[in-house]
Structure formats: C-alpha cells, structure tokens
Amino acid sequence: MEKRSENKEPLKIYIHTFGCQMNENDSERIAGALIDQGAEFSPSPEESDLIIINTCAVREKSEEKLYSLLGRLESIKKRKGLKIAVVGCVAQLYRSRLIEKKPFIDFVIGPDNYREMKHIIADHFKEKIIATSWSQEWHEVSHPQIFRESHISAYVTIMEGCNNFCSYCIVPFTRGREKYRPMENIIGEVKYLAGKGYKETQLLGQNVNSYKDPETGMGFSGLLRKVNSIDGIEWIRFVTSHPKNFTIDIAKVMKESRKACHQLHLPVQSGSSSVLKAMNREYTREEYLEKISILRDLMPDISLSTDIIVGFPGETGKDYQETLSLLEKVRFSNIFSFRYSPRPLTAASLKKETVPFDQKKKRLIELQNYQKKLQLELNKSFLGRVIKVLCLGKSKKDPSLYSGRNEGYQVVNFKSEDNVIGHFVDVRIDSCGPYSLIGEVTQ
Ligand code: SF4
C-alpha cells in the first residue's frame, strides 16, 4: 500500500480475528504495518475500504464461523471499492480454492506472508492475490510497528510453527515447521515494552517449550531467566506448552523467577493413555499426572488450565470416564473443551469415526458441567482471601466494576473508588461464580 497523499482519504481497515493468541498477535502486526502506511481503523465493516479476516483452521466450527461471516459480508462487498482479504490458517489451507468457493474474496494471504501484505495491497490493489509461500527463515517484524490495543499486557511471539504432528492437528500444515526468533530480538521487544510501561508480557508460540535461540542454542528456561531480569515487566506468562517438552528445569525456573506467574496452560487433550497414543501426543496419562505432581510440589499455588477433545476416533466410554477422572484429580482452574472434528490433511482424518455426533455432544456437555462444578469449588476456596490483581479495564458485563486477572489468570471483577486500570491492586474476594472471582480493593 502506498502512503496516501495528504489530500487523499486514508484507507480504512476493519480486522476480524478468529482463534488463539497467536492470531490476535498476528492481527496486531498486520494492523501496525498498515497503519504505518497511513491506514486508519474503521469502526465497522460497512465503513471500511479493506476488511481483513484473520482465520483459524484448528476446528471445523471456526471454519463454519468464517463462512457465516463471509456470507454476511457479501452484500457489503457489493459496495464499490471495498476489498476483502482472508488471511491466516484457512487461507494457507485452501489457497485458490477459497476464491473459487467465494469469488468476491480479493486477497488470500497465509501466515508466513503477512509482512508482504502492504506491498501486495500497494502493487495489486485491483487484482486478486494469493500469497501462501513458505520460508524456514525467521522474518522479524519491527516491534514499534506492532499495533497493540492494550497498554498493560502484551503478546511477544518467540517461535512459530510446530514439528509435533499430533494426529488431529492441522497446525503443522498451516503454520509450517518450527522456527525460532533470535533471543536478542525477543529481549529487545520486552525491554521496549517495559519502557512503554507494560506490566505483563505473554511469550507466544505453538510450542514455546521447544524454543531454541538460533544463534546460541539457548533453550526456553534460559529465555525465561533473561526475560525475568528485565526491569519494569512484573508478570511473565507463556503459552502454549506441550507436556512432552515441558521439563522439570522449566518448572524450577518458574519457581525461582520472581516474575514468572505460577500459572501454566498444559493441554492434556484426553485422560486416556490409549487415546493419547492414537493422538500421537507422546506421553501417557501417568506421565502427565507425574509432571503435575512435580509442579505442585515445587509451586503449591500453581494454577493450571488445559485443553480437552472429546469423541476422538476410538474413544470408548471408559476412555471418556478417564478424562473426567483426570479433571477431578488435577482440578484445573479453567479448561477449553471441544468436540472432535476431522481436519483435512491430518492422520486422524483417515480414521473411521466411532463416536456418533450426538454422543460427542452429550460427552462435551457433561464434561463442561462437571468442570463447572469443580471450578466453582476451586473459586469458593478464594472467599475471604486478599489476592493481587492486574487491572486490565472495566468489566464488560458490569461497567461499574473493574476487571483484571490474578497471577493464576483467573478473571477478577471488583469495586474500586479509584481508577486503577493498569495497576496492581489487592482485592478481597467476597463472592464468586464458576468463571470469575468478585471482590473489592482493600485500603
Ligand atoms: S503440539 Fe500438536 S496440537 Fe499443538 S500445534 Fe503442534 S501438532 Fe498441533
């Protein structure tokens, strides 16, 4: 995109993001690059010149949501001059087939081609473009250019891609093999954020624990130690960890490092060793539970969350019960649970589905209700306690309350007489639900 001259209206962009934190961070990078070229945000798709849809292909449901959004945008698109870009994992997966299916799409841009977006749009704004090439090289994005909505908590990408090939997962096909960001660039970005007053950083990647500095070979624990030593940043989180790559050394660094939150998202996917084997997860139920036990010995206050898939091909009633019993044993503070859906190109998509749709649905609802009960029990244990909270803004549901996260990444909504957005506060918890804690700032 060319810088627009002073007498020309700036290009108005509207970005819709599906999926995980990686996608959110990618949207921040895309927005930053385009704003740097003179674009402005549009409050609605109707008022924009360019609609960018950043997509997720991990589950069938997220793809369905994309097509439903595209259906709504088709009529807006008829307005002269409006362009639609589909970017991210669905773009990478379907490439030209996406335009064959929805001819009103103008640009199809894969996750390894965002840096070219501004040029693609500048050079070919009138042509349809498909850019889905791969490179094993790390392409650095200038961090001052990343457009972050929050001025309190920031994502920092440390690696991209995945080498694991879990049998149900499309990520290695849409994001490619692992590539690691040079450590000095990560440190440079975190220092920059600290200088801007950010209080928290979340280190991001599909498989962060396999991180290795391309220059020195230093691994994730070394990175965590270095980030911990940066003045200004108070809390460090990271996501996503694979149980296979999460080592005791990393747990020890979490315990030693003052700023590493005692919080970990460790996706288990199933509580049954035979299902885990079929998923190619490379750990057993027992090995997972052993890691949890070591973590809890080191950090008794650690807050754990996980991902669960129900209805994987071959999952029996007994396997499913083992997943429920794992939830009971670990007592996660939060879970993300899904019905299995076959994804193109994956090994599991070649397996015969053995759990009927209604059964998957029933298992998912039952599992979510069970977890809801466990979470409520856990949250009740906070009643009367005073906890440290980073205030991130106002509560969306009740603007009379402030909202933030505690060290365990639980949502805390609270009353405060002062505006405490961007500050750490002590909150006394006096009520709770399964998904949040509620309280008041202590004097
Ligand atoms: S670790 Fe497995 S589930 Fe996670 S991104 Fe890689 S292949 Fe997908």
Side-chain angles (χ1 to χ4, degrees), residues 384-403:
R385 282 170 55 187
V386 174
I387 57 173
K388 188 174 171 182
V389 175
L390 175 57
C391 181
L392 298 166
K394 287 282 182 108
S395 157
K396 286 195 181 101
K397 278 196 189 145
D398 180 353
S400 72
L401 297 177
Y402 287 90
S403 187

Side-chain angles (χ1 to χ4, degrees), residues 77-96:
K77 162 77 190 173
K78 288 187 181 133
R79 189 160 57 79
K80 199 170 167 264
L82 173 64
K83 301 284 174 186
I84 294 182
V86 175
V87 308
C89 291
V90 174
Q92 187 67 35
L93 180 64
Y94 295 116
R95 304 174 189 208
S96 59

Side-chain angles (χ1 to χ4, degrees), residues 162 164-166 168-169 171-172 206 242 281:
C162 185
N164 282 321
F165 291 93
C166 300
Y168 53 85
C169 182
V171 166
Q206 272 82 24
H242 190 302
R281 290 292 285 174

Side-chain angles (χ1 to χ4, degrees), residues 22-84:
M22 289 292 288
N23 271 20
E24 285 175 31
N25 190 227
D26 285 342
S27 290
E28 292 175 341
R29 295 174 188 209
I30 294 168
L34 297 180
I35 286 168
D36 189 60
Q37 296 291 309
E40 279 181 2
F41 279 119
S42 158
S44 69
E46 286 81 1
E47 294 163 67
S48 65
D49 304 310
L50 171 65
I51 298 172
I52 300 164
I53 310 169
N54 193 358
T55 60
C56 170
V58 165
R59 288 172 227 294
E60 203 172 48
K61 206 167 175 180
S62 35
E63 247 188 83
E64 286 165 8
K65 283 188 194 164
L66 164 68
Y67 291 119
S68 137
L69 175 65
L70 283 170
R72 295 200 299 278
L73 294 179
E74 192 171 1
S75 57
I76 306 174
K77 162 77 190 173
K78 288 187 181 133
R79 189 160 57 79
K80 199 170 167 264
L82 173 64
K83 301 284 174 186
I84 294 182

Side-chain angles (χ1 to χ4, degrees), residues 358-385:
D358 285 349
Q359 180 74 295
K360 282 189 213 170
K361 218 168 134 184
K362 194 165 158 262
R363 285 182 187 173
L364 183 63
I365 292 169
E366 186 187 58
L367 178 129
Q368 288 174 339
N369 284 334
Y370 187 55
Q371 173 62 19
K372 190 172 162 188
K373 177 180 100 54
L374 296 174
Q375 268 176 226
L376 185 59
E377 283 172 17
L378 178 76
N379 287 354
K380 280 185 178 169
S381 70
F382 282 83
L383 296 179
R385 282 170 55 187

